[in-house]
Amino acid sequence: MSETASPARYSWGGDEFIFVELSEEMSLRANFRAMAITRALKEERPDGILEICPANASYQVRYDPDVIEPHTLLAHLQDLEKKVGDASDVSLSTRVVEIPVLYRDPWTTETLMRFRDRHQDPDATDIDYAARINGLPDADAFIAAHTGSPWFTSMVGFVAGLPFMFQMVPQDRQLVVPKYLRPRTDTPKQTVGHGGCFGCIYSVRGAGGYQMFGITPAPIYDPTQSSPDFADFMVFFRPGDIASFRAIDRDEYDDTLVQVERRDYRIRSREVEFNLQPFLDDPAGFNSRLLEVLRVD
Amino acid sequence: MTQPASTPVSWRCSVSIEVRKPGLSTTVQDTGRSGYYDVGIPPSGALDLYSLTTGNRLVGNPPDAGALEVVYMGPELLFTEDAVVAVTGAELPPRINGEARPLWESFPVSAGDVLSFGFVKGGARAYIAVAGGIDVPVVLGSRATYGLGALGGMEGRPLVAGDTLPIGAGAGTPGRVLPGDLLPALGKDVEVRVVMGLYDHVLAPEGRDNFLQTTWTLTPVADRVGFRYKGAELSTIERTPPFGAGQDPSNIVDAPYPIGSIQVPGGVEPIILHRDAVSGGGYMMVGTVISGDLDVVAQSAPNTRTRFVEVDMDGALAARRDYRARSARVAELLA
């Protein structure tokens, strides 16, 4: 796998934003380039740069044109793009984390029943529908696929702290589901969802259009910063985090919630170095090593 | 927040305000926060920054002090001490104990006075600045309320009856007036300047023409996250959505949304994202409102007729210089 990077597309977003699309379609390569370019820019922090936002296959910079001339910034970003190239030699210091999930939980099930009129398949649940259109025999097989490989946090956003995740498997094994026909007005907090090729965890209760499969008892956003995972910052996920979902039962869900309420729950997390090329050369071997790092005590 | 050093001290206040009635949706705002959009925390801050900063200058505050943003319907506020207040933005007539007070002019308030408001006559958002500033805790560098993330402002939410708003110590001078030529125009017909781009190549040529030639009408779906318009359907080119995007031709691989960007889900009902924007998503955006004209959008009430006028980058920067020059004149006059 040694695709050459196609040139990015640059566009103005009014007088304060530059938007850069590295690839029209989603790939880990495009995401890794977005990550590498934005990390390089963060290290430099030129004057007048206000926000640096990596996204799935694109990124965006907010700047103050009174401080930095827009065309100068754009030329600089094009230089960075060349310097980063296909990002195969870029190394990312990141984390691998484990997210416990109660699949087919009562709360998302109740919510999805309320919004059946907005769904492609009103007679099925979201997970049964997702299993069927991905050619899997049943929901259990879908859960096995969902928990079977880790996910790369390719973007954080939409609302505060919501991770978009891209499953670290070859494209023909990606789980792909459409979004709801019309978005819901309600989604339980910490719902584990999926839309297009992206998994997500809803960080707050609110609107949403992704299919809902389950719920995690682990908080991922805490503006009060009252528990240990949030001592440094109110948002748990950062772009580049690698997450593995683990199916849990109702007892473990309830026990975990007790710990969360006692403020002594922590998401299992380990530091890792991630290079794209070794992963692309042997995804299965790389993923199993990642999970070993995560699960070793 | 720093205090103005040597403003003539007519009033010294260290007061609190009791919220009797909250109004429709009243939030604490300032000029917003920067540096957290990459984790989905938008800038927030006043939707109409000119009105907020001018209100602060009228009462002798730094321009970025905390103030109240009021939407359509004013709150009822009881002052526990003497204060100096200014109301700017929408034509929402202020009253002290039922008596009319001017807009765009600082006026004194005495301990025990109640500030209330008549019906809105123009515009959509008014700003209440108080000498000393609304002194809620600074969160991630700002006092601004971000409702979706429940952070900043008053416990991360709009005001409710019974809230007590802390006011910083500060001096203010009543009777300071903004000259008439510096008042913003509030109309039912507005032009909003847009830099086209982002994903406008997904529009068919007639869809693009339609976007710029239609007189759009603001729907009631207009809040701090976004303003939704109706008026026409925009045709898109024939395309197979790229892997990961979803199935509608207007879907894209989820990407970051600039503040002011205009997305058109399904080719109908454009939405201008404002300062509490969702930071990214999977709908094509066809352009971005220039930074200064976000104030114009902020003052649009439902049914406001809106034309999107294309400007290029040079035009956008020229408009920015005009906006800066106007703000600099306000700063100079109210120094």
Side-chain angles (χ1 to χ4, degrees), chain A residues 9 11 15 21 51 66 161 221, chain B residues 35 39 149 198-199 254 291 324:
Chain A
R9 186 172 66 79
S11 179
D15 49 334
E21 185 187 69
E51 304 275 3
D66 302 336
Y221 173 66
Chain B
V39 290
L198 304 173
Y199 285 86
D254 295 54
S291 57
R324 286 282 178 271

Side-chain angles (χ1 to χ4, degrees), chain B residues 178-247:
Chain B
L178 188 76
D181 65 318
L182 287 169
L183 294 179
L186 302 172
K188 295 297 282 177
D189 282 280
V190 299
E191 290 192 344
V192 170
R193 286 165 290 185
V194 172
V195 176
M196 295 297 284
L198 304 173
Y199 285 86
D200 66 333
H201 56 279
V202 177
L203 290 176
E206 62 273 21
R208 197 177 190 285
D209 290 348
N210 246 346
F211 175 72
L212 292 166
Q213 283 159 13
T214 297
T215 299
W216 299 92
T217 302
L218 181 61
T219 70
V221 185
D223 60 20
R224 294 187 47 84
V225 176
F227 288 63
R228 185 186 288 246
Y229 294 82
K230 60 178 191 211
E233 192 157 336
L234 306 182
S235 49
T236 50
I237 54 171
E238 297 275 328
R239 84 198 261 263
T240 310
F243 174 77
Q247 288 147 322

